[in-house]
Amino acid sequence: MTYDVGLDVGSVSINCCVVDSHGEIAFEAPYKRHFGLILEETRKTLSDIYNRFDPAQIDSVSFTGSQGQIVSQLLDAPFEVETIAQVLGTTRVLPGVRSLIAIGGQDAALFQLEYDQDNNWYLEAFNLNSPCASGTGSFIDQQAERLAYAMYGGDFEMDQNQLQKVLRDFIALGLQSTYPAPVACRCTVFTKSDMIHLQNKGESLSNIIAGLHHGTAANYLSTIVSNRELHEPVAFIGGMAENELLVQAFRKHFPQLQVPEHHTALGALGTALQSQKQGRKNTVKPESLDESMATSAYSFPRAETLELNLSHFDPDNSLKPVKSPARGTIKAFLGIDIGSTSTKYSLVDEQGRIIHKRYVATKGKPIEVAQELLQHLDQEVGDKIDLQAVGTTGSGRNVVGDFLDADLIIDEITAHARGAVKVDSGIDTIFEIGGQDSKYISIQDSHPVDFVMNKICAAGTGSFLHELANKMNINIVGQFQDIALSAPAPVNLAERCTVFMESDLVGYSQKGAKRDDLIAGLCFAIVRNYLHRVVESRHIGNKIMFLGGPSLNKGIVAAFEQVLQKPVIVPKNREVMGAYGTALAVQEKFNSGEIKVKERDLKDLAAIEVNFKESICRADKNCHNECKLKIYNFGGRKSIWGGDCGRYEASTVQGRTKDNFFLLRGELFNQHLPQDALVDWKSMEKPRPGQPIVGIPMALHSLEWGILWANIFSELGLNVLFSPATNHDIASTGVESMTAETCFPVKVFHGHVNHLQRSPADYLFLPNPINVPTPDEDGERGVLCPMVESSQYMATAALQLDESRLIRPTLFLKEGIESIAQNLYKALPPGLKFREKEVQRAVSLAWVRQMEFKKTMQQKGREIISGLDQTSPVWVVTGRPYNLYDERLNLRLGRQLAKLDITALPMDFVDFEQVNLKDFPRMYWGLGGRILRTAKLIAQKPNWFGVHLTNFSCGPDSFLEHFFGHILQQKPPLVLELDEHSAVAGVLTRIEAYKNVVQNILKENLVKKEKRTSLDQAVGQ
């Protein structure tokens, strides 16, 4: 008997299969993770095979997999492309299979097979994931590692040797869920953002884990399957097919899904069968496979050796024990920073000195961890202090603040700035890198006047660093910096996201790069990523303070120094600076008499049994999201948390709230709709019996031009049915229906069209709007985004719409009534028989209604502005209508701003048309022109400030944001970038921080004005 050996060397694991001369599986090696030690683990696997089988009986050894080609070249062995190998293996164990869902460590694929008359398979179609590895094995690994602390609690320390156990427990916990919580899975950052938000609201880990897997399946359907029809039998293969929770999630979409035997090793089986079929003969020597074979063949881009020359780095970050006072107790103030990955507290005395601190993992349980910290504080210094006041900050500040009945809840930008300035009042720049967020803060006269947080990518954050260190089996504390600083020639790595960077590290390692050089290179990559993606072109001063967990890493401090060629201040206690700033801020409030001492017993708070019951939110009768709520019992005090809109978690603002002008805009929009033609979703009664219903999706262009669309069909005597406001189901359906990767607003549009497709609407109005009216100056084009222009084509293809139901004219709105009427008339389906003059009249009357709405908005805006205090700040919110006025996309921004006592006007209330835009000649984008004109008005008004709402992957906005910032460079704007994730906490943090920045800018302007007045008076005398 002879044998053929196949090895599938992937990005995460090594799988091996041995087949006998009859093509039967003689041996399958256990699934093995290689943790980047590819050559070493491959050598061990081959040695084991040679111990089990007589080498003389082995005809061939062949390779496949993402890392297999490198090994095959080193051993001069055959290599088979993994896609072919996977299909060969699957068709062997599951003859007749038609569709293969393949998900491995960093790859996801779909193979659709057809068979000829001789029953030989051929690829009918296939699709692979983009370079982003979200939804793959590494993606799930990351989430399991992050939740391990929450799962096990205590002093659990994550390392790669425990990963398989963690994954088993992770999946088992998810199988206990009562329902899958909503988790966005398009990108690991969205996923973490949603999961942290859910944890902070008290959602159970089992429901979060289930939601992660259901989101992963939905993401696969959206990005890989698209609108393809999967023929049965459908098989699920690859390492992820071991995951019972993901199998369950896929079976909701494909009930007959099969997980074949040997599903993790089918690539290895396929390459062995291919070698056998082709009669390949070769031998390999496992003992010759070592690192030396991979060296010297490649040259790497190198960076300078890491050295710390300009900055002082004190390795001793400890505090002296608190001494008992000679008489009485120490009056103390407590600040707690509840971050995404770690929770810190800082206790200060009346002089503002830190007298006690602690830094622990959040473990996804903010309240429980806060209780543990209080217990520790009481045990350590409880008898020596008299606690006067408590403040909270960080992503969990609201829920923990509510639990503690905190005296002050502040955003982390303000907190870090407050603490840093106390340490050194001369600083002008703060770099802060946390577990999930990176922040840049510009300081002027001891106050923050500009800031930015990482928008989407978490590359370069603390969790990014921790995950990559874990992948390489390196202890992040001590060992990491020692290795980095000892590396002679750091590899110059690219700035990449966590999953990409992991691939790069593995790839470089296999080409001979030394581990030490890669770790040092990682320090440089983190710094460059932070500077290029977070700081961008913002001013970096000469007195820079570096804060956050990674600032404890000497290697990263050295990298900042070398890249900037400036000294970096790394103060003592920098890891608790947010908590320190919070303690100082609450002390200041106490000293000014704004807050009074509350009765607090640390022992009682630490011992309170926290429990909750679940309920469905019914607060808004017009909202149909049915959000899950957690109703907590904090020792007899009720507290409600949950929901997507932030209703229950906007930071507590005592006293007044401002008007919600977003809500007003919606009311004015509805007033200009033809109420006598609108079909009610509940009754579905036609207000005009016997006449057809035209369905209009309330998304994209309709959020501005819906008045025109509805009034046209009303004037033609038809009934009009708008799709309901975007909810979770509409958004999810849209995401799952996509045939191409687009921005979130386009996905939501698909959901609205699908909703209408299943309604009684006789026709669907899906125009192709090409441009919008603009002031006639300097060749302004007024063009809409290509995604909006072509939205109808995408939806028609993705949802396989019945074209006989569609009304889809191409409309040049810039060209006016006659052009619109002509094109609409030509696009009317045979069932709608109107004369051209009737259409012309209907368009003319509807256009008047649309323009009336515009004038009403601007008139109302003038009234609002004239009634405001001209010295009080006004936030003008710009953006595309489909972001500004869809409450799911904007996360109820109007409500959040109003609750925070902020006067915020959507840009439609501002008359910007007279603003000259000649310094941006031949402006191409119609909505871009409006946004920049509004920005110019904001720049002219001393008390106006700009907030721009955009969405991830918006091409036009990627240009416009730079122009927007340039126009407002004297008053830094706030840019909010949103996407599929529904967590509102990050938006609230940015809003609260910007509110503080606005106050500081106004104070600074007032001081300058007073100085000028004094100077003028002095000159006059």
Side-chain angles (χ1 to χ4, degrees), residues 251-285:
R251 280 187 175 145
K252 285 191 176 293
H253 303 280
F254 309 109
Q256 305 304 314
L257 181 77
Q258 299 183 48
V259 179
E261 284 188 287
H262 317 292
H263 47 266
T264 61
L266 293 176
L269 173 62
T271 191
L273 291 171
Q274 184 76 329
S275 288
Q276 186 178 80
K277 180 181 178 181
Q278 295 182 358
R280 294 170 178 163
K281 308 288 183 183
N282 73 296
T283 58
V284 299
K285 295 181 179 180

Short mmCIF file of all heavy atoms in Angstrom, two decimals, residues 251-285:
data_model
loop_
_atom_site.label_atom_id
_atom_site.label_comp_id
_atom_site.label_asym_id
_atom_site.label_seq_id
_atom_site.Cartn_x
_atom_site.Cartn_y
_atom_site.Cartn_z
N ARG A 251 -27.83 28.09 9.41
CA ARG A 251 -29.01 27.24 9.15
C ARG A 251 -30.32 28.03 9.21
O ARG A 251 -31.35 27.56 8.73
CB ARG A 251 -29.02 26.07 10.12
CG ARG A 251 -28.07 24.97 9.68
CD ARG A 251 -28.14 23.71 10.49
NE ARG A 251 -27.27 22.69 9.91
CZ ARG A 251 -26.58 21.80 10.60
NH1 ARG A 251 -26.66 21.78 11.94
NH2 ARG A 251 -25.83 20.91 9.99
N LYS A 252 -30.29 29.21 9.79
CA LYS A 252 -31.48 30.07 9.73
C LYS A 252 -31.74 30.52 8.30
O LYS A 252 -32.86 30.84 7.92
CB LYS A 252 -31.31 31.28 10.65
CG LYS A 252 -31.46 30.95 12.14
CD LYS A 252 -31.55 32.20 12.98
CE LYS A 252 -31.80 31.86 14.44
NZ LYS A 252 -33.12 31.26 14.67
N HIS A 253 -30.66 30.58 7.51
CA HIS A 253 -30.79 30.98 6.10
C HIS A 253 -30.81 29.77 5.17
O HIS A 253 -31.46 29.80 4.13
CB HIS A 253 -29.63 31.89 5.73
CG HIS A 253 -29.51 33.11 6.59
ND1 HIS A 253 -30.29 34.23 6.41
CD2 HIS A 253 -28.72 33.37 7.66
CE1 HIS A 253 -29.98 35.14 7.33
NE2 HIS A 253 -29.03 34.64 8.10
N PHE A 254 -30.09 28.70 5.55
CA PHE A 254 -30.02 27.48 4.74
C PHE A 254 -30.31 26.28 5.64
O PHE A 254 -29.40 25.65 6.18
CB PHE A 254 -28.62 27.35 4.11
CG PHE A 254 -28.14 28.58 3.39
CD1 PHE A 254 -27.12 29.35 3.91
CD2 PHE A 254 -28.75 28.99 2.21
CE1 PHE A 254 -26.68 30.49 3.28
CE2 PHE A 254 -28.32 30.14 1.56
CZ PHE A 254 -27.29 30.89 2.09
N PRO A 255 -31.59 25.97 5.83
CA PRO A 255 -31.97 24.94 6.81
C PRO A 255 -31.33 23.58 6.56
O PRO A 255 -31.12 22.81 7.50
CB PRO A 255 -33.50 24.88 6.67
CG PRO A 255 -33.89 26.21 6.11
CD PRO A 255 -32.77 26.62 5.21
N GLN A 256 -31.03 23.24 5.30
CA GLN A 256 -30.47 21.93 4.98
C GLN A 256 -28.95 21.93 4.93
O GLN A 256 -28.33 21.01 4.41
CB GLN A 256 -31.02 21.45 3.62
CG GLN A 256 -32.54 21.42 3.52
CD GLN A 256 -33.16 20.58 4.62
OE1 GLN A 256 -32.70 19.47 4.88
NE2 GLN A 256 -34.19 21.11 5.27
N LEU A 257 -28.33 22.98 5.49
CA LEU A 257 -26.87 23.09 5.47
C LEU A 257 -26.21 21.84 6.07
O LEU A 257 -26.60 21.38 7.14
CB LEU A 257 -26.46 24.32 6.27
CG LEU A 257 -24.95 24.62 6.34
CD1 LEU A 257 -24.47 25.22 5.04
CD2 LEU A 257 -24.65 25.57 7.49
N GLN A 258 -25.19 21.31 5.38
CA GLN A 258 -24.47 20.13 5.85
C GLN A 258 -23.05 20.51 6.25
O GLN A 258 -22.40 21.30 5.56
CB GLN A 258 -24.43 19.06 4.77
CG GLN A 258 -25.79 18.56 4.33
CD GLN A 258 -25.69 17.44 3.32
OE1 GLN A 258 -24.93 16.49 3.49
NE2 GLN A 258 -26.45 17.57 2.24
N VAL A 259 -22.58 19.91 7.33
CA VAL A 259 -21.17 20.04 7.72
C VAL A 259 -20.54 18.67 7.53
O VAL A 259 -20.75 17.76 8.34
CB VAL A 259 -21.05 20.50 9.19
CG1 VAL A 259 -19.57 20.62 9.58
CG2 VAL A 259 -21.75 21.83 9.41
N PRO A 260 -19.79 18.49 6.43
CA PRO A 260 -19.27 17.15 6.12
C PRO A 260 -18.19 16.70 7.08
O PRO A 260 -17.59 17.52 7.80
CB PRO A 260 -18.72 17.32 4.70
CG PRO A 260 -18.41 18.76 4.59
CD PRO A 260 -19.40 19.49 5.44
N GLU A 261 -17.94 15.40 7.10
CA GLU A 261 -16.82 14.87 7.87
C GLU A 261 -15.52 15.48 7.37
O GLU A 261 -15.41 15.86 6.20
CB GLU A 261 -16.75 13.35 7.74
CG GLU A 261 -17.77 12.59 8.55
CD GLU A 261 -17.49 11.10 8.50
OE1 GLU A 261 -17.75 10.50 7.43
OE2 GLU A 261 -17.00 10.56 9.50
N HIS A 262 -14.54 15.54 8.22
CA HIS A 262 -13.19 16.05 7.87
C HIS A 262 -13.24 17.48 7.35
O HIS A 262 -12.38 17.90 6.55
CB HIS A 262 -12.53 15.14 6.80
CG HIS A 262 -12.69 13.68 7.04
ND1 HIS A 262 -12.08 13.03 8.09
CD2 HIS A 262 -13.42 12.72 6.38
CE1 HIS A 262 -12.40 11.74 8.06
NE2 HIS A 262 -13.22 11.53 7.04
N HIS A 263 -14.24 18.27 7.81
CA HIS A 263 -14.47 19.60 7.23
C HIS A 263 -13.29 20.55 7.40
O HIS A 263 -13.12 21.48 6.62
CB HIS A 263 -15.74 20.23 7.80
CG HIS A 263 -15.83 20.16 9.28
ND1 HIS A 263 -16.50 19.15 9.93
CD2 HIS A 263 -15.32 20.95 10.26
CE1 HIS A 263 -16.42 19.32 11.23
NE2 HIS A 263 -15.71 20.40 11.46
N THR A 264 -12.44 20.36 8.43
CA THR A 264 -11.30 21.26 8.60
C THR A 264 -10.12 20.86 7.71
O THR A 264 -9.21 21.66 7.50
CB THR A 264 -10.83 21.29 10.06
OG1 THR A 264 -10.40 19.98 10.44
CG2 THR A 264 -11.93 21.77 10.99
N ALA A 265 -10.12 19.61 7.21
CA ALA A 265 -8.96 19.10 6.47
C ALA A 265 -9.26 18.81 5.01
O ALA A 265 -8.49 18.11 4.34
CB ALA A 265 -8.45 17.82 7.15
N LEU A 266 -10.34 19.37 4.48
CA LEU A 266 -10.71 19.03 3.11
C LEU A 266 -9.75 19.62 2.08
O LEU A 266 -9.58 19.06 0.99
CB LEU A 266 -12.14 19.49 2.83
CG LEU A 266 -13.21 18.71 3.64
CD1 LEU A 266 -14.59 19.28 3.40
CD2 LEU A 266 -13.17 17.23 3.26
N GLY A 267 -9.12 20.75 2.41
CA GLY A 267 -8.09 21.29 1.52
C GLY A 267 -6.91 20.35 1.43
O GLY A 267 -6.36 20.09 0.34
N ALA A 268 -6.48 19.82 2.58
CA ALA A 268 -5.38 18.86 2.61
C ALA A 268 -5.75 17.59 1.86
O ALA A 268 -4.93 17.03 1.11
CB ALA A 268 -5.02 18.53 4.06
N LEU A 269 -6.99 17.12 2.04
CA LEU A 269 -7.45 15.95 1.31
C LEU A 269 -7.42 16.20 -0.19
O LEU A 269 -6.97 15.36 -0.98
CB LEU A 269 -8.88 15.60 1.76
CG LEU A 269 -9.59 14.50 0.98
CD1 LEU A 269 -8.84 13.17 1.09
CD2 LEU A 269 -11.04 14.34 1.47
N GLY A 270 -7.87 17.38 -0.59
CA GLY A 270 -7.93 17.69 -2.02
C GLY A 270 -6.57 17.72 -2.68
O GLY A 270 -6.40 17.19 -3.79
N THR A 271 -5.58 18.32 -2.01
CA THR A 271 -4.25 18.38 -2.64
C THR A 271 -3.60 16.99 -2.70
O THR A 271 -2.89 16.67 -3.65
CB THR A 271 -3.35 19.40 -1.93
OG1 THR A 271 -2.19 19.62 -2.72
CG2 THR A 271 -2.93 18.96 -0.55
N ALA A 272 -3.87 16.14 -1.70
CA ALA A 272 -3.36 14.76 -1.74
C ALA A 272 -3.99 13.98 -2.89
O ALA A 272 -3.30 13.25 -3.63
CB ALA A 272 -3.63 14.07 -0.40
N LEU A 273 -5.31 14.13 -3.07
CA LEU A 273 -6.00 13.44 -4.16
C LEU A 273 -5.52 13.93 -5.52
O LEU A 273 -5.37 13.13 -6.46
CB LEU A 273 -7.51 13.67 -4.03
CG LEU A 273 -8.21 12.97 -2.85
CD1 LEU A 273 -9.65 13.45 -2.73
CD2 LEU A 273 -8.16 11.46 -2.99
N GLN A 274 -5.24 15.22 -5.63
CA GLN A 274 -4.77 15.77 -6.90
C GLN A 274 -3.40 15.21 -7.26
O GLN A 274 -3.13 14.85 -8.42
CB GLN A 274 -4.71 17.30 -6.82
CG GLN A 274 -4.34 18.00 -8.12
CD GLN A 274 -5.48 18.05 -9.12
OE1 GLN A 274 -6.32 17.15 -9.16
NE2 GLN A 274 -5.50 19.08 -9.95
N SER A 275 -2.51 15.13 -6.26
CA SER A 275 -1.18 14.57 -6.51
C SER A 275 -1.29 13.10 -6.91
O SER A 275 -0.58 12.63 -7.81
CB SER A 275 -0.30 14.70 -5.26
OG SER A 275 0.07 16.05 -5.06
N GLN A 276 -2.17 12.38 -6.26
CA GLN A 276 -2.36 10.96 -6.59
C GLN A 276 -2.89 10.80 -8.01
O GLN A 276 -2.41 9.96 -8.79
CB GLN A 276 -3.34 10.34 -5.59
CG GLN A 276 -3.51 8.84 -5.73
CD GLN A 276 -4.45 8.29 -4.68
OE1 GLN A 276 -5.67 8.39 -4.83
NE2 GLN A 276 -3.89 7.71 -3.63
N LYS A 277 -3.87 11.64 -8.36
CA LYS A 277 -4.48 11.56 -9.69
C LYS A 277 -3.45 11.85 -10.79
O LYS A 277 -3.44 11.21 -11.84
CB LYS A 277 -5.64 12.54 -9.78
CG LYS A 277 -6.35 12.57 -11.13
CD LYS A 277 -7.47 13.60 -11.12
CE LYS A 277 -8.16 13.65 -12.48
NZ LYS A 277 -9.24 14.66 -12.50
N GLN A 278 -2.56 12.82 -10.51
CA GLN A 278 -1.57 13.21 -11.52
C GLN A 278 -0.29 12.37 -11.45
O GLN A 278 0.65 12.60 -12.21
CB GLN A 278 -1.23 14.69 -11.36
CG GLN A 278 -2.44 15.59 -11.65
CD GLN A 278 -2.12 17.07 -11.55
OE1 GLN A 278 -0.99 17.44 -11.23
NE2 GLN A 278 -3.09 17.92 -11.85
N GLY A 279 -0.25 11.41 -10.53
CA GLY A 279 0.90 10.51 -10.43
C GLY A 279 2.17 11.19 -9.97
O GLY A 279 3.27 10.79 -10.36
N ARG A 280 2.04 12.21 -9.14
CA ARG A 280 3.23 12.93 -8.66
C ARG A 280 4.04 12.05 -7.71
O ARG A 280 3.48 11.31 -6.90
CB ARG A 280 2.84 14.21 -7.94
CG ARG A 280 2.20 15.26 -8.82
CD ARG A 280 1.63 16.38 -7.98
NE ARG A 280 1.03 17.45 -8.78
CZ ARG A 280 0.20 18.34 -8.32
NH1 ARG A 280 -0.17 18.30 -7.04
NH2 ARG A 280 -0.30 19.27 -9.11
N LYS A 281 5.36 12.15 -7.83
CA LYS A 281 6.27 11.44 -6.93
C LYS A 281 7.29 12.44 -6.39
O LYS A 281 7.94 13.13 -7.17
CB LYS A 281 7.01 10.31 -7.66
CG LYS A 281 6.13 9.33 -8.41
CD LYS A 281 5.36 8.41 -7.47
CE LYS A 281 4.53 7.39 -8.27
NZ LYS A 281 3.72 6.53 -7.39
N ASN A 282 7.39 12.53 -5.08
CA ASN A 282 8.41 13.42 -4.50
C ASN A 282 8.67 13.01 -3.07
O ASN A 282 7.85 12.31 -2.45
CB ASN A 282 7.98 14.89 -4.56
CG ASN A 282 6.89 15.22 -3.57
OD1 ASN A 282 5.78 14.71 -3.67
ND2 ASN A 282 7.19 16.10 -2.62
N THR A 283 9.79 13.40 -2.56
CA THR A 283 10.12 13.16 -1.15
C THR A 283 10.55 14.47 -0.52
O THR A 283 11.07 15.37 -1.21
CB THR A 283 11.28 12.14 -1.01
OG1 THR A 283 12.42 12.64 -1.71
CG2 THR A 283 10.88 10.78 -1.57
N VAL A 284 10.31 14.58 0.78
CA VAL A 284 10.75 15.77 1.51
C VAL A 284 11.47 15.32 2.77
O VAL A 284 11.24 14.21 3.27
CB VAL A 284 9.57 16.70 1.88
CG1 VAL A 284 8.85 17.19 0.64
CG2 VAL A 284 8.59 15.98 2.80
N LYS A 285 12.33 16.18 3.27
CA LYS A 285 13.04 15.90 4.52
C LYS A 285 12.57 16.90 5.58
O LYS A 285 12.98 18.06 5.55
CB LYS A 285 14.55 16.03 4.30
CG LYS A 285 15.12 14.99 3.35
CD LYS A 285 16.62 15.16 3.20
CE LYS A 285 17.18 14.10 2.27
NZ LYS A 285 18.66 14.25 2.10
#
